[in-house]
Amino acid sequence: MIQPEPRQLPRPAFVIREATPEEFATVGDVTVAAFASGPYGHLPTSAERARLLRDAEGRAASGTLLVAVATGTGSHAEGTVIGTASLLRAETEHSRLATGEEFELRLLGVLPEARGLGLGEELTRVALECAVEQGASALVLDTGELNLPAQRLYERLGFERIVDAAQTADVPLVAYRYPLQRPDGEVRVRLMRDEEMDAVAELSERAYAHDYSLSDSYRASIVDVAGRAGEHQVWVASDTETGALLGTVSTPRAGAVMTELPQVGEMDFRLLAVHPDARRRGIGELLSRHVLLLGRLRGVPRVVMNSGPEMTGAHKLYERLGFERLLDREPLLTMPDGRELKLLSFGYSI
């Protein structure tokens, strides 16, 4: 099959990042303007509500304050804050739904003149991934009963409606939850911490050396966790009771790739490893599903990966999860000793 020529993606009209303290006052203005033009903008605003809308600093202290900032390619000047959302830890000052290990999304707002760019969806996707990075069990949120566009967005993204959510606001609310971890709660997937690098390197080496004969160059690649973490994301599966690390996998940051395999818009992953002592606990499947979750949150069309021909156990797992062989994208490698090795390629269509 002839591969399509690489195409240059257009520069987006906005980027989403964490707000800086210098932007807190502007974020308050944007939040006020966004909600004033919403379905409840005609109602009087209480003093408590007005304080909440303006308190960007308090929301940042309770979690992560996200902003959508114009890049200058559209009608807004570069650097203009045109949208915002607050990702809050449970039981902090401005959260009202989240409990335990849940995070809560509140005060998602977009300036009226910036609507139609998809900011609400992208802010929600980024908030979900931020919650995943911190090991949240779920992301919860609520919205007014009259805010039908928001309800359609959350349902399209996969949020589940919470039927018996308590009403704590002046207007009727509709609450939603997006589960992010395995229901039994015994294992949690999160980003690796800096102090865990050596342990993840040891885990990865033990996992691969347990099943395969490793060349020096491949072994060096496996244990270079610091190098991967500097450029990409290194995830760990940890036992929630003991804290023991059970497995790991690496993914690129949003918009980047780790290998030459992905085509435009696709996401790849590498070096899924399960500690030999943690086998038969479903850790490999859990980490694979975690990668697919990231793909869904990022809205990619396909998740792809390469695997060595001898890794038959992994191949069975991928096929059971719904991956398909990409026969037209399987590279032939020349090893240091002159042998040729054909890598297998797999893809999962989101």
Side-chain angles (χ1 to χ4, degrees):
M1 176 182 292
I2 298 176
Q3 297 298 321
E5 289 293 322
R7 56 186 175 88
Q8 185 69 37
L9 291 177
R11 188 183 179 198
F14 60 88
V15 294
I16 296 175
R17 56 168 171 78
E18 192 168 347
T20 64
E22 293 75 20
E23 294 170 324
F24 287 167
T26 300
V27 171
D29 293 339
V30 170
T31 308
V32 169
F35 280 86
S37 61
Y40 297 98
H42 62 288
L43 297 178
T45 302
S46 67
E48 181 182 358
R49 175 72 174 176
R51 186 183 73 85
L52 168 67
L53 296 176
R54 291 282 182 190
D55 190 17
E57 182 178 359
R59 286 182 267 139
S62 297
T64 304
L65 182 62
L66 298 172
V67 287
V69 180
T71 61
T73 60
S75 57
H76 294 86
E78 184 174 2
T80 303
V81 177
I82 54 179
T84 182
S86 300
L87 180 66
L88 308 174
R89 297 184 298 274
E91 301 169 17
T92 50
E93 181 182 6
H94 296 311
S95 68
R96 60 184 178 192
L97 272 183
T99 61
E101 301 300 323
E102 295 175 337
F103 276 54
E104 182 168 350
L105 181 63
R106 287 205 70 191
L107 297 176
L108 190 159
V110 176
L111 288 177
E113 60 269 26
R115 288 170 187 165
L117 298 175
L119 269 73
E121 178 172 341
E122 288 308 309
L123 282 164
T124 305
R125 289 185 184 277
V126 172
L128 279 162
E129 183 159 345
C130 287
V132 169
E133 289 178 347
Q134 298 177 67
S137 60
L139 182 65
V140 296
L141 59 84
D142 58 37
T143 187
E145 193 175 63
L146 299 181
N147 197 345
L148 300 180
Q151 293 171 41
R152 287 193 290 268
L153 167 64
Y154 300 138
E155 290 169 6
R156 177 164 55 81
L157 290 178
F159 282 82
E160 303 167 353
R161 186 162 176 171
I162 305 173
V163 177
D164 57 350
Q167 296 291 321
T168 59
D170 296 332
V171 299
L173 298 174
V174 180
Y176 291 93
R177 186 176 192 271
Y178 196 116
L180 299 172
Q181 300 287 345
R182 201 162 71 177
D184 61 25
E186 294 179 357
V187 181
R188 176 155 299 160
V189 181
R190 56 168 172 77
L191 280 182
M192 177 193 69
R193 299 168 184 146
D194 289 345
E195 63 271 19
E196 295 172 328
M197 283 187 187
D198 290 343
V200 172
E202 181 183 359
L203 182 159
S204 301
E205 183 177 23
R206 285 192 62 183
Y208 279 87
H210 183 270
D211 297 320
Y212 315 111
S213 176
L214 306 179
S215 66
D216 291 341
S217 59
Y218 192 36
R219 187 184 300 272
S221 173
I222 289 170
V223 300
D224 185 22
V225 177
R228 286 197 296 281
E231 187 176 357
H232 306 294
Q233 296 168 308
V234 179
W235 303 89
V236 295
S238 64
D239 188 296
T240 53
E241 182 176 351
T242 67
L245 300 183
L246 309 176
T248 181
V249 69
S250 296
T251 60
R253 302 188 192 279
V257 296
M258 298 187 73
T259 68
E260 298 179 356
L261 177 62
Q263 295 180 353
V264 173
E266 295 178 342
M267 186 184 98
D268 57 348
F269 68 98
R270 288 194 66 213
L271 296 172
L272 189 154
V274 177
H275 194 289
D277 295 341
R279 302 284 170 91
R280 305 190 187 282
R281 291 185 59 178
I283 305 302
E285 178 173 344
L286 174 65
L287 289 167
S288 298
R289 292 190 182 278
H290 175 77
V291 172
L292 298 180
L293 170 63
L294 284 179
R296 292 189 184 94
L297 297 184
R298 295 176 184 179
V300 304
R302 181 183 284 166
V303 173
V304 298
M305 53 84 65
N306 286 128
S307 181
E310 74 279 14
M311 299 179 178
T312 55
H315 303 163
K316 292 177 182 177
L317 168 62
Y318 300 137
E319 290 167 358
R320 187 173 75 251
L321 292 177
F323 283 80
E324 297 179 343
R325 285 277 298 277
L326 303 176
L327 297 174
D328 58 330
R329 284 202 255 170
E330 297 190 335
L332 188 64
L333 304 182
T334 301
M335 307 304 290
D337 60 4
R339 293 182 298 112
E340 289 188 334
L341 176 69
K342 184 177 183 180
L343 290 181
L344 277 59
S345 299
F346 294 85
Y348 183 102
S349 296
I350 301 293

